[in-house]
Amino acid sequence: MSSQSVPIPASPGTNLDTSSMSSSSSSIWDRLSTWASENKAIVYTVAGVAVVTTGAGLAYYILDSRSDGKTNTAEEKRKASKKERRKAKKEKEKERDDSDKEAKSPKASEQELNKKTATVESDPLEDLPQIDETTVENLSDQERKEFSNKLKLAGNTAYGAKNYNDAIDLYGKAIICKPDPIFYSNRAACYNALGNWDKVVEDTTAAINIDSEYIKALNRRANAYEHLERYSEALLDYTASCIIDGFRNDNSAQSVERLLKKVAEAKGKAIMEGKEKRLPSPTFVTNYLQSFRPKPAPAGLEETAELGEDTGLGQLQAGLIAMGKKTGDGYDKAAKSFDRALEIGSLGEHEAFAYSMRGTFTYLKGENADALQDLTKSVELQPSLTTSFIKRASMHLEIGEKEAAAKDFEAAMAQNKEDPDIYYHRAQLHFILGEFAEAAKDYQKSIDLDRDFIFSHIQLGVTQYKMGSVVPSMATFRRTIKNFDKVPDVYNYYGELLLDQQKYQEAIEKFDTAVEMEKQSKPLGMNVLPLINKALALFQWKQDFSEAEKLCQKALIIDPECDIAVATMAQLLLQQGKVTEALKYFERAAELSRTEGEIISALSYAEASRTQLEVQQKYPQLASRLQGMGGGMGGPTIR
């Protein structure tokens, strides 16, 4: 894949032509996002408004002056000899001078007007031929060519004077003489100025049917499609235009990104409206839950307590037991049990805890508003339940309410300033906001209050690394491995930092250790992130697509709804140019996404892939050209 970055299309304007979660999962997403930002040339586009300012300060659009409506490819232009390039330059300068003369004020001096003796140089509004479908039949080919050129020049003059309807009539007569794509495109520019988008589509389509690589006609039609809210068609035209132009126009590329977002947002909204609210993958749920220190069940809800299943307390107990299994079925049962517990009621002193647990699983399903209500009810009933404040702070942060999140942490500290979870999760807030020094302080405070919680140590090491303190970071991880040598997570995270340093062999050894420990300690609820990390390491190190895909497939067998595994597979396939297969995985990633933002992100990739396929099907000649730019969808390593 081309390594060039292609931004998103801006509107082409009306000018006429002048040219012939957990930190582990988050870090994986960071690498995929970095790869994406370096490889936006998946599908992007073209445009540009050429505006000239006259001496009188009048801005007007430059007119079409391509010869015979032919477009040279970038490759042909590079092969042109110096002599040909000099000749073309002189011709363009002459055309530009002619255009300037045509657009000058009617007050131009009589001396200048008298100099125009040739037919083309005479006043284009004088002696115009009377052309219609009948009279044109009596004209020779040469006469048709001459008349069409004169009518075009007259149309240019009318356009420059903003007499768009006159220009439309003149270009129409030029088309009768000679169906040239430039004439259609210029008439489309008139309709564009009048806001008649259907007619713009009609004329640009006629131009493209004659010259399928007519970039400005593609851009004009894309612009019209966008005004008509036919976003997928606009995206297709901008993409084709960008490929034809070799991804050189930033404005067009920006238009593609804008349209990708529009298409993805429209589809994402529809998906969210019909989406069944359900829990994400067990890997996701486990990573979220283990970000809180494990605590014993509240008194009276222990597994040994004899409680009837038809009671609220019995359902609360059943939810805790099911949650401890760390499996998809277990988490589903836990969510239902917590909900049922509150429906039955009679929870006594455990009512606040019940709201906290239901709010937790409601949040994991992506129902933030309902989750916030449950957690607010929990802290109202029992302010000392600091976990509810902490969880509510995380939710506020996710929806962009930074100040509300900070207030929740303050409220939690007012209840119990010795709760290490407060500092750990406040550190997470600082980390997400890029405030690494503050994050490091809070992680250290969390460690000082409770040295047995491994994730405080891991996150401190990661934060030190982010701050550029590589040596202290590595020392923190070696010390953590010594103190928690039976915990797979520390090996997985340490492997990620080694991978970032391109110490591939060491990284893979750490991932293998984490995988084996996961198998032994959690055979039914294995965390698949070490498998995915190993896949990325093998790809980066040896470009071993086959083994990387096998590892991702294995992860998906263990956890079929792991969005990180699905996204990684999609990117690996995209790197190999397997766009059709990658598209399926991107669509699957959208299905698994929890929030509208996540859905839109996944759909943007899906729409980019789908559009590239459509372009290659509609313009097969562009497929080989795209490959020639850098191997189609291949590209730099995923980092």
Side-chain angles (χ1 to χ4, degrees):
M1 177 177 187
S2 172
S3 61
Q4 59 207 104
S5 174
V6 186
I8 317 187
S11 167
T14 60
N15 59 307
L16 298 174
D17 281 344
T18 55
S19 58
S20 264
M21 338 302 57
S22 71
S23 298
S24 184
S25 59
S26 296
S27 59
I28 295 175
W29 273 112
D30 286 343
R31 290 202 294 279
L32 295 178
S33 297
T34 299
W35 177 86
S37 67
E38 293 172 350
N39 296 276
K40 289 182 181 175
I42 295 175
V43 308
Y44 300 130
T45 321
V46 164
V49 179
V51 179
V52 172
T53 303
T54 67
L58 173 66
Y60 64 90
Y61 295 106
I62 301 176
L63 307 179
D64 252 326
S65 57
R66 294 192 321 165
S67 60
D68 300 326
K70 301 297 182 183
T71 304
N72 291 328
T73 65
E75 184 178 357
E76 289 169 342
K77 289 179 181 177
R78 286 195 298 271
K79 291 181 179 179
S81 66
K82 290 183 179 179
K83 182 177 179 181
E84 290 171 330
R85 288 198 295 271
R86 283 197 298 271
K87 182 179 178 182
K89 182 177 180 181
K90 288 180 180 178
E91 289 177 351
K92 282 191 176 183
E93 289 174 352
K94 181 179 182 300
E95 291 167 354
R96 185 165 57 249
D97 290 342
D98 288 343
S99 294
D100 288 343
K101 290 174 183 177
E102 293 161 15
K104 280 186 177 181
S105 167
K107 296 181 180 179
S109 70
E110 182 178 351
Q111 182 180 1
E112 287 179 318
L113 293 174
N114 289 336
K115 289 180 181 179
K116 298 182 179 181
T117 57
T119 303
V120 175
E121 293 177 341
S122 63
D123 186 345
L125 298 178
E126 292 181 0
D127 301 325
L128 289 176
Q130 297 301 312
I131 298 296
D132 58 33
E133 297 287 354
T134 302
T135 59
V136 76
E137 297 294 333
N138 300 320
L139 300 178
S140 67
D141 290 344
Q142 183 61 31
E143 287 174 324
R144 291 186 184 194
K145 182 177 180 180
E146 290 176 359
F147 288 175
S148 68
N149 188 52
K150 188 166 187 176
L151 288 161
K152 171 203 166 186
L153 292 175
N156 291 355
T157 300
Y159 181 90
K162 298 186 179 180
N163 296 324
Y164 301 122
N165 288 317
D166 290 343
I168 288 169
D169 181 62
L170 290 163
Y171 288 133
K173 290 178 179 179
I175 289 168
I176 292 174
C177 292
K178 180 186 176 185
D180 190 295
I182 293 175
F183 304 162
Y184 280 111
S185 184
N186 280 1
R187 189 168 69 177
C190 298
Y191 286 126
N192 190 100
L194 296 171
N196 192 336
W197 308 116
D198 288 318
K199 296 297 288 186
V200 174
V201 170
E202 182 181 321
D203 271 356
T204 50
T205 299
I208 293 164
N209 287 340
I210 299 171
D211 181 357
S212 63
E213 296 191 12
Y214 191 176
I215 289 176
K216 288 196 174 180
L218 283 164
N219 287 334
R220 282 200 186 100
R221 188 169 71 176
N223 182 51
Y225 278 143
E226 188 170 1
H227 277 89
L228 292 168
E229 298 184 1
R230 295 164 65 176
Y231 299 131
S232 294
E233 288 146 298
L235 180 58
L236 179 62
D237 276 351
Y238 272 133
T239 300
S241 168
C242 197
I243 295 172
I244 292 168
D245 196 48
F247 302 103
R248 289 191 298 269
N249 189 298
D250 287 347
N251 288 335
S252 298
Q254 289 169 2
S255 293
V256 168
E257 290 190 13
R258 184 183 66 251
L259 284 164
L260 279 174
K261 184 178 180 182
K262 282 186 176 180
V263 173
E265 284 178 345
K267 293 188 175 183
K269 185 176 182 180
I271 289 175
M272 282 299 292
E273 289 175 352
K275 185 178 178 64
E276 177 188 357
K277 299 297 184 181
R278 60 179 184 177
L279 291 172
S281 72
T283 297
F284 186 103
V285 176
T286 299
N287 285 335
Y288 176 78
L289 294 176
Q290 71 182 11
S291 69
F292 294 87
R293 284 166 172 75
K295 297 177 181 177
L301 297 177
E302 301 90 348
E303 189 170 350
T304 55
E306 296 184 2
L307 299 170
E309 289 188 6
D310 56 348
T311 66
L313 292 175
Q315 285 297 311
L316 198 52
Q317 179 193 53
L320 293 173
I321 294 172
M323 192 171 71
K325 295 179 179 179
K326 297 183 179 181
T327 64
D329 290 340
Y331 290 137
D332 284 335
K333 183 176 181 181
K336 292 175 182 176
S337 294
F338 295 139
D339 191 47
R340 180 65 177 148
L342 284 165
E343 287 180 3
I344 297 173
S346 300
L347 298 169
E349 62 179 333
H350 298 305
E351 186 177 2
F353 178 73
Y355 275 109
S356 180
M357 295 311 299
R358 187 176 73 173
T360 299
F361 279 82
T362 302
Y363 162 70
L364 288 168
K365 290 179 182 179
E367 299 175 318
N368 278 9
D370 291 341
L372 284 170
Q373 288 182 6
D374 276 353
L375 291 170
T376 298
K377 183 67 173 177
S378 175
V379 296
E380 289 173 352
L381 290 169
Q382 187 179 336
S384 62
L385 195 58
T386 54
T387 301
S388 294
F389 280 115
I390 296 170
K391 290 176 180 177
R392 193 172 70 173
S394 298
M395 294 177 202
H396 279 139
L397 184 61
E398 183 171 301
I399 58 179
E401 296 178 354
K402 177 184 173 182
E403 293 183 1
K407 288 180 180 179
D408 275 336
F409 283 120
E410 291 175 4
M413 292 182 69
Q415 293 296 322
N416 181 8
K417 64 180 181 179
E418 300 300 311
D419 184 346
D421 270 344
I422 299 173
Y423 298 95
Y424 176 80
H425 284 275
R426 191 173 69 174
Q428 296 285 68
L429 181 149
H430 289 308
F431 187 93
I432 291 170
L433 296 175
E435 301 164 356
F436 299 124
E438 294 301 314
K441 290 179 183 177
D442 273 347
Y443 285 132
Q444 186 59 59
K445 178 66 174 179
S446 178
I447 292 170
D448 293 342
L449 291 170
D450 177 11
R451 307 193 68 84
D452 294 333
F453 186 58
I454 186 173
F455 292 103
S456 295
H457 298 272
I458 290 174
Q459 284 299 116
L460 175 61
V462 172
T463 303
Q464 290 170 329
Y465 190 84
K466 284 282 190 179
M467 294 170 68
S469 303
V470 178
V471 174
S473 171
M474 296 296 102
T476 296
F477 268 98
R478 286 193 293 272
R479 185 168 57 252
T480 304
I481 287 176
K482 181 179 179 181
N483 295 329
F484 300 90
D485 61 331
K486 302 300 181 184
V487 182
D489 300 273
V490 66
Y491 295 95
N492 180 56
Y493 281 82
Y494 189 32
E496 288 190 5
L497 298 193
L498 293 169
L499 177 58
D500 190 70
Q501 298 172 62
Q502 299 184 4
K503 297 179 179 180
Y504 300 116
Q505 185 63 54
E506 293 180 64
I508 288 174
E509 289 173 1
K510 295 297 181 290
F511 296 141
D512 282 338
T513 299
V515 169
E516 289 305 312
M517 286 186 174
E518 288 283 351
K519 289 179 181 178
Q520 295 172 13
S521 61
K522 295 176 283 185
L524 297 178
M526 177 181 170
N527 186 335
V528 300
L529 294 181
L531 287 171
I532 301 169
N533 275 325
K534 183 179 178 181
L536 292 173
L538 287 172
F539 168 71
Q540 289 182 35
W541 185 19
K542 300 180 178 180
Q543 296 289 296
D544 191 343
F545 286 105
S546 177
E547 188 60 29
E549 284 186 31
K550 288 179 183 177
L551 288 166
C552 286
Q553 292 286 12
K554 186 175 182 179
L556 287 169
I557 290 172
I558 296 169
D559 187 352
E561 298 191 348
C562 179
D563 57 337
I564 302 297
V566 172
T568 304
M569 270 295 293
Q571 296 285 13
L572 289 171
L573 292 167
L574 205 57
Q575 287 269 351
Q576 300 172 74
K578 298 177 180 178
V579 185
T580 303
E581 296 175 59
L583 175 58
K584 295 177 182 177
Y585 278 94
F586 282 131
E587 290 175 335
R588 175 62 176 155
E591 292 175 4
L592 295 174
S593 298
R594 290 174 53 250
T595 66
E596 188 170 348
E598 292 171 0
I599 290 174
I600 290 171
S601 178
L603 286 176
S604 293
Y605 281 106
E607 290 306 312
S609 303
R610 189 195 321 283
T611 302
Q612 190 194 16
L613 286 175
E614 291 176 356
V615 168
Q616 293 184 15
Q617 291 167 0
K618 191 170 183 178
Y619 306 98
Q621 74 275 16
L622 298 184
S624 59
R625 190 179 304 178
L626 188 60
Q627 291 174 355
M629 292 174 188
M633 299 305 299
T637 23
I638 299 174
R639 291 294 302 280

